[in-house]
Amino acid sequence: MCKVIAIANQKGGVGKTTTAMNLGMGLVKEGKKVLMMDADPQGSLTISLGFREPDKLTDTLFDIFRLEAAGEEIQPEYGIRHLQDNVDLIAGNIDLSSVEISLSAAISRETMLRGVVNELRDHYDYIIIDCMPSLGTVTLNALTCADTVLIPVQAAYLPVKGLRQLIKTINLVKRSLNPDLEIEGILLTMVDARTNYAKDIVAQVHEVYGKSIPVFEIEIPLSVRAAETSAVAQSIYEYDPKGKATLAYTTLTKEVLAHG
Ligand code: ATP
Ligand code: MG
């Protein structure tokens, strides 16, 4: 059984891509076959996986949207890059930014990805979708074909307002497009355990959301080594095997595996 997890938060810079990369690679370390999907025009996940110039790539997620909107048949392996054993990628790049505009007239534009993703389910244990920091057409597509959403939240300011908007959108998608969508959990990231401020925010997230939405026990600590990984195209397991953020991502991976 394949599980499709969208990593989403319309707030920028909260650790979505870092989490997509290190949860994905964590699952691979646990013997799972994983497809990484980059649904962000910034192409950060694509860069993290070793493609320095995502904007030069062809056969990307944008092309899947383009072909789908044109009503063309999409070949089963289309757009899939085999990176290493058990790790495949559908790349994302700047072209995705035009999906919102150029495909805005397409029929059923929020469900364009669903068919393709459903076809791919047979080939993977997990499909991890790294979303962009907005709640437009591409993100709605990701939420429409996902089984669950994992929401990284940076423990640096009280994120209540932004989270509310995101949860509203998730509920809307659930009502109209994807009734089975569930929340995998809120993941607190960049937690600086030395400050009371971070502790307050963590406590408040549990207080405000903990009753209705799962909040992961494990928190991702603030870590310079974690920040550096985005520049070196390595997972945190390779770059800093014994680091505290690495341990946290290992625990997160096990929690996600335990969810089934
Ligand atoms: P965007 O919304 O732009 O896609 P994002 O939500 O994907 O951003 P990331 O790119 O994962 O966020 O992280 C934002 C920045 O914070 C990056 O420079 C990243 O390297 C850094 N970062 C991520 N996790 C940590 C951490 N645990 N400790 C310190 N820095 C981190
Ligand atoms: Mg990102």
Side-chain angles (χ1 to χ4, degrees):
M1 267 280 279
C2 174
K3 187 170 191 183
V4 182
I5 304 177
I7 316 283
N9 188 337
Q10 80 279 18
K11 171 95 177 91
V14 296
K16 292 182 289 295
T17 304
T18 307
T19 299
M21 172 81 176
N22 294 306
L23 171 61
M25 295 312 247
L27 291 165
V28 171
K29 262 167 49 90
E30 296 289 330
K32 302 298 178 190
K33 184 164 185 205
V34 176
L35 172 66
M36 307 278 224
M37 193 181 273
D38 190 348
D40 184 351
Q42 298 175 95
S44 314
L45 183 63
T46 303
I47 296 171
S48 297
L49 287 164
F51 296 88
R52 283 175 165 269
E53 297 189 274
D55 296 348
K56 293 197 173 149
L57 298 176
T58 55
D59 302 336
T60 64
L61 185 60
F62 166 74
D63 295 292
I64 291 178
F65 276 106
R66 181 177 55 77
L67 293 169
E68 190 67 38
E72 287 185 37
E73 199 179 322
I74 298 174
Q75 298 301 314
E77 285 269 301
Y78 182 79
I80 295 195
R81 293 175 152 83
H82 303 289
L83 304 186
Q84 42 176 284
D85 278 356
N86 291 333
V87 189
D88 288 356
L89 167 70
I90 293 180
N93 67 16
I94 190 72
D95 294 337
L96 272 175
S97 60
S98 70
V99 167
E100 320 279 327
I101 310 152
S102 62
L103 304 185
S104 61
I107 15 168
S108 52
R109 66 190 166 139
E110 275 87 27
T111 54
M112 284 191 288
L113 260 194
R114 185 148 63 186
V116 172
V117 167
N118 282 344
E119 293 280 322
L120 290 169
R121 281 176 185 266
D122 286 346
H123 305 282
Y124 300 96
D125 297 307
Y126 286 89
I127 299 176
I128 305 287
I129 310 177
D130 183 28
C131 294
M132 68 173 94
S134 89
L135 296 172
T137 305
V138 176
T139 302
L140 288 176
N141 268 276
L143 296 178
T144 299
C145 59
D147 297 311
T148 64
V149 197
L150 192 157
I151 308 170
V153 168
Q154 187 182 353
Y157 69 113
L158 190 59
V160 170
K161 220 173 140 207
L163 265 180
R164 242 183 227 137
Q165 180 61 42
L166 177 60
I167 289 159
K168 235 163 105 182
T169 304
I170 291 170
N171 286 332
L172 234 125
V173 169
K174 219 172 135 89
R175 270 204 300 277
S176 54
L177 298 159
N178 184 6
D180 298 330
L181 182 65
E182 284 180 25
I183 297 181
E184 189 74 44
I186 294 175
L187 174 68
L188 286 147
T189 62
M190 300 182 221
V191 179
D192 186 351
R194 294 164 308 181
T195 67
N196 286 328
Y197 184 54
K199 281 181 208 152
D200 284 353
I201 289 167
V202 169
Q204 288 193 43
V205 166
H206 279 275
E207 199 181 297
V208 176
Y209 293 102
K211 284 198 192 76
S212 51
I213 294 174
V215 181
F216 284 100
E217 274 306 313
I218 186 71
E219 292 154 10
I220 309 298
L222 188 74
S223 150
V224 176
R225 301 289 280 171
E228 285 167 358
T229 53
S230 30
V232 293
Q234 281 182 340
S235 76
I236 199 163
Y237 311 102
E238 296 167 277
Y239 187 67
D240 188 24
K242 296 206 162 67
K244 56 187 171 136
T246 312
L247 271 172
Y249 274 114
T250 302
T251 307
L252 173 73
T253 303
K254 296 209 162 114
E255 284 194 31
V256 168
L257 278 170
H259 291 178

